[in-house]
Amino acid sequence: DYTNGLLQLGDGAKQQGDAMQAMAYYEEAAKITNPYDVKPLLAQAQLYSDQQQWTEADRLYQDVLSKDPNQPEAKLFQTRKA
């Protein structure tokens, strides 16, 4: 589907070191996906974490947990920041 395609393009851009392009793909995926699909939010949060932009990563991980309270990666991030 189109959302997964955007996520794959984002992952490719991230692997090539183009964080801005990766984020653009992830943001576009977040706009068009099912509101309860947390994959685009997780991708954005991971990218912010990789860049040590903790405030943005935290905001996104909290958003993930509001949609999926048992999402393991988001729970781990919250545990580490405590």
Side-chain angles (χ1 to χ4, degrees):
D1 84 2
Y2 190 61
T3 300
N4 285 331
L6 287 169
L7 292 172
Q8 289 176 352
L9 288 169
D11 291 345
K14 180 179 171 182
Q15 288 175 353
Q16 293 177 359
D18 191 347
M20 288 181 60
Q21 184 63 57
M23 187 59 72
Y25 285 127
Y26 296 152
E27 288 173 350
E28 185 63 25
K31 289 178 190 175
I32 65 167
T33 195
N34 174 325
Y36 295 100
D37 183 356
V38 297
K39 288 183 286 190
L41 297 174
L42 275 174
Q44 291 175 70
Q46 292 164 348
L47 185 58
Y48 279 126
S49 291
D50 291 347
Q51 297 177 326
Q52 299 182 355
Q53 294 183 25
W54 307 121
T55 302
E56 288 300 317
D58 182 50
R59 179 183 62 79
L60 287 158
Y61 280 123
Q62 287 181 26
D63 198 8
V64 167
L65 289 171
S66 74
K67 297 170 192 277
D68 181 0
N70 295 314
Q71 206 294 322
E73 183 178 335
K75 285 174 69 172
L76 180 61
F77 181 86
Q78 295 301 316
T79 302
R80 287 183 178 169
K81 79 167 195 167

